[in-house]
Amino acid sequence: MQKDSRIFVAGHRGLVGSSIVQVLQQDGFGNIITKSHAELDLSDFNAVEMFFNEVRPEYVFLAAAKVGGIAANNEFRADFIYQNLAIQNNVIFHAYKSGVKKLLFLGSSCIYPRDCQQPIKEEYLLTSELEYTNEPYAIAKIAGLKMCESFALQYGCNFLSVMPTNLYGDNDNFNLHTSHVLPALLRKIHLAKLLSQGDRESVEKDTGLSGESLQAFLQRFGISAQSVQIWGSGRPRREFLHALDMARACVYVMENIDFDTLTRDSVTNNMQVRNTHINIGFGSDISIKELGELIQEIVGFSGYLVFDTSKPDGTFAKLMDSSKLNALGWKPSISLRDGISSVYKHYKAMA
């Protein structure tokens, strides 16, 4: 990419998209194209076609997606598969039609099988069944990956996919109805700390609720002055990567790594594709229980963590093998403790 290249960041208001814009600006790229949902509905075929024909972006970061935690994925299954397929199909197809030089599609670690061997290598894709709770979302992301691969193979497009581990950051979703585990725990433990300090006014300001409505909210999400309730047993392990690290990895891949052509495997003699999708992870994981305790320490809440084993755990472990990307020259730089501390500072400033 040149500093004046026309770069379209789809999903620029989301956690990763906003971080990609931030990193591109820091790196001196001055022609970054963004569109809000009101300005461009990426699920609208005709609108996307018109956008690509008129704007003619040269590079595309496809970070737009409908995302959510385990509860949202399980409850809104139709929405997750339909909306994500629509967005991907339109952007990837019209990127091809308009001659985009390079496209980077952002997937998810949930594309890999439920009981996958750890750490998860790229070649484990489609080797076993998916985790049921987020299967529609995972299938949509697999379709996006395969669409990029197929357009690259058939038409010679330089379309790649990256598969991030669990992400968190300043621009995260803290809505307890739809958020992922880390921002949800951070907000719940923060509210519990305020309650333990008798600061109900700040709790009301944070939630926008009072009286019986506030009490119902706190009860629903297991938040009290003494404890915080967490879904599942606390034993599943997760890997977490700060969104700024993810964004830096995406820009690095866009600038330095291309879709690799077919090569012949020396053992099987079969033709294989390299660099069709690349894992992006932190390199180590932590149990949900340990995560909760770390957030407790950072927030300063001395109450109890209560685990609701009637709720699903999801996949037991999802540690990504990022050795391919590490060998290609990129590694993360933000520790989990430093990252959570930064996010908590940002959250308090915004609350």
Side-chain angles (χ1 to χ4, degrees):
M1 293 187 296
Q2 302 300 314
K3 297 303 181 183
D4 62 348
S5 295
R6 296 186 303 279
I7 304 169
F8 176 42
V9 181
H12 74 286
R13 289 183 171 175
L15 175 61
V16 182
S18 61
S19 298
I20 290 174
V21 170
Q22 182 178 339
V23 169
L24 288 171
Q25 290 173 337
Q26 290 172 349
D27 290 351
F29 293 96
N31 197 357
I32 303 168
I33 303 159
T34 59
K35 294 289 182 181
S36 67
H37 179 75
E39 294 171 317
L40 176 62
D41 181 357
L42 294 176
S43 66
D44 183 328
F45 181 92
N46 293 327
V48 176
E49 180 180 35
M50 184 179 299
F51 165 78
F52 273 92
N53 287 340
E54 291 179 354
V55 179
R56 312 296 294 189
E58 299 172 89
Y59 299 89
V60 174
F61 290 89
L62 180 43
K66 180 177 177 59
V67 297
I70 186 172
N73 271 276
N74 200 30
E75 184 176 357
F76 304 111
R77 302 177 70 85
D79 295 344
F80 273 90
I81 192 167
Y82 172 76
Q83 292 183 29
N84 283 301
L85 283 172
I87 291 168
Q88 297 161 194
N89 289 348
N90 291 339
V91 174
I92 295 169
F93 177 71
H94 289 301
Y96 151 68
K97 291 288 286 184
S98 67
V100 164
K101 293 179 180 178
K102 194 168 183 179
L103 179 145
L104 190 68
F105 170 70
L106 277 66
S108 167
S109 61
C110 71
I111 66 166
Y112 294 110
R114 180 190 64 201
D115 300 316
C116 209
Q117 181 179 335
Q118 303 291 308
I120 304 171
K121 297 179 181 291
E122 286 87 352
E123 57 261 35
Y124 296 165
L125 178 67
L126 297 176
T127 56
S128 185
E129 66 184 36
L130 300 165
E131 163 61 36
Y132 177 77
T133 55
N134 59 18
E135 186 180 60
Y137 178 74
I139 288 173
K141 288 300 183 180
I142 292 170
L145 181 162
K146 288 298 181 181
M147 191 172 182
C148 288
E149 177 185 298
S150 299
F151 272 80
L153 293 174
Q154 183 173 345
Y155 296 114
C157 302
N158 196 0
F159 292 178
L160 291 89
S161 302
V162 290
M163 299 299 133
T165 189
N166 301 284
L167 302 173
Y168 69 99
D170 290 351
N171 196 26
D172 220 326
N173 171 22
F174 292 92
N175 184 323
L176 297 184
H177 296 276
T178 58
S179 60
H180 288 100
V181 61
L182 193 153
L185 280 180
L186 187 61
R187 186 180 180 200
K188 288 169 70 171
I189 291 172
H190 170 68
L191 292 175
K193 176 191 175 183
L194 294 177
L195 290 172
S196 71
Q197 295 174 333
D199 189 358
R200 199 171 185 85
E201 181 180 347
S202 293
V203 175
E204 292 176 352
K205 180 183 176 183
D206 181 290
T207 61
L209 301 170
S210 61
E212 292 183 1
S213 296
L214 175 59
Q215 196 56 41
F217 174 89
L218 296 172
Q219 186 173 1
R220 176 177 181 180
F221 293 106
I223 304 167
S224 73
Q226 295 77 36
S227 65
V228 169
Q229 188 179 81
I230 300 176
W231 271 35
S233 66
R235 294 185 297 108
R237 304 185 67 81
R238 292 292 181 268
E239 178 186 26
F240 296 97
L241 183 72
H242 196 284
L244 280 176
D245 266 342
M246 176 61 186
R248 293 184 184 113
C250 288
V251 173
Y252 182 86
V253 170
M254 185 68 90
E255 291 198 277
N256 297 283
I257 302 170
D258 293 325
F259 184 92
D260 214 343
T261 53
L262 289 168
T263 57
R264 191 173 296 279
D265 184 89
S266 59
V267 177
T268 65
N269 205 38
N270 293 330
M271 299 301 283
Q272 294 184 334
V273 179
R274 296 181 299 176
N275 293 354
T276 175
H277 69 284
I278 302 172
N279 289 344
I280 302 180
F282 181 73
S284 62
D285 59 7
I286 185 173
S287 74
I288 300 302
K289 180 176 183 292
E290 291 167 333
L291 174 66
E293 292 169 344
L294 176 60
I295 294 174
Q296 268 190 284
E297 184 181 335
I298 291 169
V299 171
F301 174 61
S302 57
Y304 299 97
L305 299 179
V306 179
F307 295 91
D308 183 357
T309 56
S310 69
K311 298 295 193 298
D313 273 332
T315 305
F316 184 77
K318 287 201 306 183
L319 176 62
M320 305 283 274
D321 185 328
S322 301
S323 58
K324 176 189 283 189
L325 182 57
N326 296 160
L328 290 167
W330 183 88
K331 291 184 179 180
S333 61
I334 303 173
S335 72
L336 184 59
R337 177 181 291 276
D338 288 347
I340 294 175
S341 297
S342 175
V343 171
Y344 185 48
K345 182 179 179 180
H346 178 81
Y347 179 79
K348 287 191 295 182
M350 297 297 292

